[in-house]
Amino acid sequence: MTDRSKFGADTTADEVLEGIDLTGKLVVITGGASGLGQETARAMAAKGAQIVIPVRDMAKGEAAVVKIRKSVPDANIELMECDLGKMASIQFFAEAFLVQHDRIDLLINNAGVMASPHMTTGDGLELQFGTNHIGHFLLTNLLMPALVEAAKAGSDARIVNLSSRGHHFDTVHFDDPHFEERDYDKWLAYGQAKTANIMFTVGLEKRLAGKGVHALAVHPGGIRTNLGRHLTEEDMAMLLKRMEENSGESFAFKTVEAGAATTCYAATAPELQGKGGVYLEDCHVAEVDDEDESGGIRSYAVDPGNAEKLWSLSEATIDQTFSY
């Protein structure tokens, strides 16, 4: 029997899911065609989950499914087209999904963009904030009826938002989230987007806990995946130096298997049942800390007032309101 209290930075997704039966559970994973999302899909499919992966590139998605099925031959995986950088695409996906499925047990908002040059989404939003937060804000709210339905049926329905220790870089600038007035800085933009992922988690928990749906944010750790496709060699050297300085020792990137562990833990751990609005790292709930550079959750990210400001800003951005 696995000692779950010993989970940490090196724990893998398979170890986290040992003894967990996901048979009959429907799991939606954005960014499930590569990196951490693909490993999360593989690990959960191996435990019997039915997986739906929204993908921008269907060919890439199909290649990922082939790879997953080499490890899990009977993996139940469905691909559906969705571009998180285009609101119309998200709307189309959600409508098509809800026609085919009446419930979601786990929604894992895993897709992301990191430290990109100054670019915009298909709707003209700053790329990192627009994709990492606004796209997931719209997607999550449109899919909410299926999550609530699962909770009504007795499921431990959860939403897992992938954030990052990068949220330490910056808070959300509510007056200028898209760098229309400020000079663009790719790391501050990334920090803002990752902070937004946590604030969104707090806002979701406030609205949905009473309906049996809980939201959790996670920092997966430092992993080499295609999330870093925009990074230069200088960027990688800077990140490595920062990580080594913060940890006080030589730093080693996590494997993808270990990187997906905290996501799987947040989504399935029995000991987290009913506990939402929290931020996890290395398979444990992090403490609020505004000083420690090596870990912890910044207070501005879990501030309820900030969460409400972000919710209002997000609804205004997508020109839709949601009530629960």
Side-chain angles (χ1 to χ4, degrees):
M1 189 70 179
T2 302
D3 183 354
R4 301 178 63 81
S5 67
K6 298 286 176 56
F7 289 167
D10 297 325
T11 303
T12 67
D14 285 334
E15 289 170 339
V16 163
L17 293 174
E18 186 176 337
I20 304 287
D21 184 6
L22 297 177
T23 302
K25 301 291 186 183
L26 191 144
V27 184
V28 177
I29 306 174
T30 69
S34 65
L36 296 182
Q38 182 177 307
E39 172 61 10
T40 301
R42 183 209 60 79
M44 291 189 167
K47 291 299 180 178
Q50 176 184 358
I51 311 291
V52 177
I53 303 178
V55 292
R56 183 176 56 182
D57 184 335
M58 291 295 283
K60 185 178 178 182
E62 288 161 4
V65 172
V66 168
K67 187 173 180 180
I68 290 170
R69 287 189 176 139
K70 286 181 179 177
S71 172
V72 187
D74 58 350
N76 184 350
I77 303 176
E78 176 186 359
L79 301 174
M80 297 182 70
E81 192 169 351
C82 180
D83 184 343
L84 285 167
K86 297 179 180 177
M87 294 183 206
S89 178
I90 297 168
Q91 190 88 35
F92 183 82
F93 163 78
E95 290 172 0
F97 178 92
L98 293 173
V99 167
Q100 300 175 44
H101 304 283
D102 61 358
R103 72 172 208 293
I104 298 172
D105 297 282
L106 301 171
L107 172 59
I108 300 176
N109 290 323
N110 165 89
V113 181
M114 178 181 184
S116 63
H118 195 191
M119 302 163 66
T120 56
T121 67
D123 300 298
L125 309 178
E126 188 277 311
L127 185 67
Q128 296 190 74
F129 189 76
T131 302
N132 296 354
H133 170 60
I134 294 295
H136 282 120
F137 179 87
L138 177 58
L139 178 76
T140 301
N141 280 296
L142 291 176
L143 294 179
M144 197 56 65
L147 282 149
V148 172
E149 195 60 36
K152 282 182 183 176
S155 176
D156 181 13
R158 301 186 194 181
I159 301 163
V160 178
N161 294 320
L162 264 74
S163 180
S164 166
R165 190 169 294 158
H167 84 273
H168 288 189
F169 291 146
D170 207 359
T171 186
V172 175
H173 293 256
F174 300 106
D175 58 343
D176 187 24
H178 303 293
F179 290 84
E180 293 169 320
E181 305 296 331
R182 298 177 287 153
D183 289 337
Y184 181 75
D185 181 298
K186 64 185 178 183
W187 290 111
L188 294 183
Y190 181 64
Q192 172 180 249
K194 293 292 98 180
T195 293
N197 293 146
I198 303 171
M199 291 180 184
F200 180 37
T201 301
V202 173
L204 283 169
E205 183 67 14
K206 174 185 175 182
R207 289 161 174 80
L208 296 165
K211 296 183 180 295
V213 179
H214 295 279
L216 306 94
V218 304
H219 165 51
I223 311 107
R224 286 185 184 270
T225 71
N226 68 348
L227 176 66
R229 60 190 175 275
H230 294 295
L231 302 186
T232 64
E233 288 298 321
E234 290 78 9
D235 290 332
M236 291 301 297
M238 181 276 290
L239 276 180
L240 196 57
K241 182 181 179 184
R242 178 186 172 92
M243 291 168 176
E244 289 179 341
E245 288 175 347
N246 291 343
S247 64
E249 56 191 36
S250 63
F251 174 82
F253 283 100
K254 282 187 180 185
T255 64
V256 172
E257 291 80 7
T262 304
T263 298
C264 291
Y265 182 77
T268 66
E271 55 268 35
L272 293 176
Q273 187 167 6
K275 296 180 181 178
V278 294
Y279 168 88
L280 297 96
E281 52 190 6
D282 295 338
C283 299
H284 69 267
V285 176
E287 298 293 328
V288 175
D289 191 319
D290 286 331
E291 303 296 331
D292 188 358
E293 292 294 334
S294 66
I297 171 75
R298 295 298 187 248
S299 60
Y300 53 72
V302 289
D303 180 88
N306 285 342
E308 291 309 301
K309 287 181 184 177
L310 179 66
W311 195 281
S312 297
L313 169 66
S314 304
E315 287 188 329
T317 300
I318 64 173
D319 197 25
Q320 291 190 58
T321 57
F322 301 96
S323 58
Y324 300 109

